[in-house]
Amino acid sequence: MEFLSENFQVIIAALAVLALLLIVMLTWRALAPKVSGRRGQRLGISEYHEVDKSRRLVLVRRDNVEHLILIGGAQDLVIEPGITAAAIAQAYTPAPVSPDPATFRPAPRAPMFSDRKAAPRQPEPQQQTARREEPEL
């Protein structure tokens, strides 16, 4: 009991500091912007490929944009930044070829009615299927 009476003021001061820290922490959590964890994942590794024992090609995704990075060795290197789905689709579609108006000539049209008669259609040969005879019971 003697310990409590001698250190009563120190114990009260320590409890007051702990209460003040608790109030500051709760206020900070209430007012600070929310940080989403696994639910709103913004960063991830899409693919990776080992080049050799010390280097890797890594495709990193951030906010639906991918970056190709070479890591390991003496220095890390960004190979291709800003790969988007639209850029990938555009890379695989052929560029439209617009004709030069000076040299463009439309193909001649075939006459709609011709004096020649069309050759009669030959019937297509029918494939015969082999039938398996079933034994009678």
Side-chain angles (χ1 to χ4, degrees):
M1 202 58 160
E2 198 174 298
F3 175 77
L4 286 177
S5 62
E6 291 177 3
N7 297 318
F8 185 72
Q9 291 179 342
V10 175
I11 293 171
I12 295 295
L15 289 175
V17 168
L18 284 175
L20 184 65
L21 284 175
L22 184 65
I23 291 171
V24 168
M25 187 179 75
L26 291 175
T27 305
W28 179 266
R29 288 189 81 183
L31 298 178
K34 303 293 182 206
V35 177
S36 61
R38 299 291 271 170
R39 286 175 270 143
Q41 243 182 351
R42 296 179 55 202
L43 183 65
I45 295 176
S46 298
E47 295 180 36
Y48 71 92
H49 178 73
E50 293 184 7
V51 177
D52 54 24
K53 289 183 180 180
S54 63
R55 295 181 299 169
R56 284 186 181 174
L57 274 173
V58 180
L59 193 59
V60 178
R61 179 189 41 78
R62 176 202 44 90
D63 293 337
N64 296 327
V65 176
E66 292 181 334
H67 306 279
L68 184 62
I69 302 171
L70 179 66
I71 60 172
Q75 183 178 2
D76 296 341
L77 180 66
V78 177
I79 304 291
E80 188 173 354
I83 305 168
T84 61
I88 293 170
Q90 185 179 11
Y92 285 106
T93 56
V97 178
S98 60
D100 185 15
T103 60
F104 177 72
R105 293 185 193 147
R109 294 180 128 197
M112 290 183 69
F113 300 102
S114 175
D115 293 337
R116 293 189 307 167
K117 293 186 177 180
R121 290 184 71 188
Q122 298 292 329
E124 294 182 13
Q126 294 182 355
Q127 293 180 354
Q128 294 185 2
T129 58
R131 296 190 81 178
R132 190 174 100 183
E133 292 185 25
E134 298 290 326
E136 292 184 22
L137 296 177

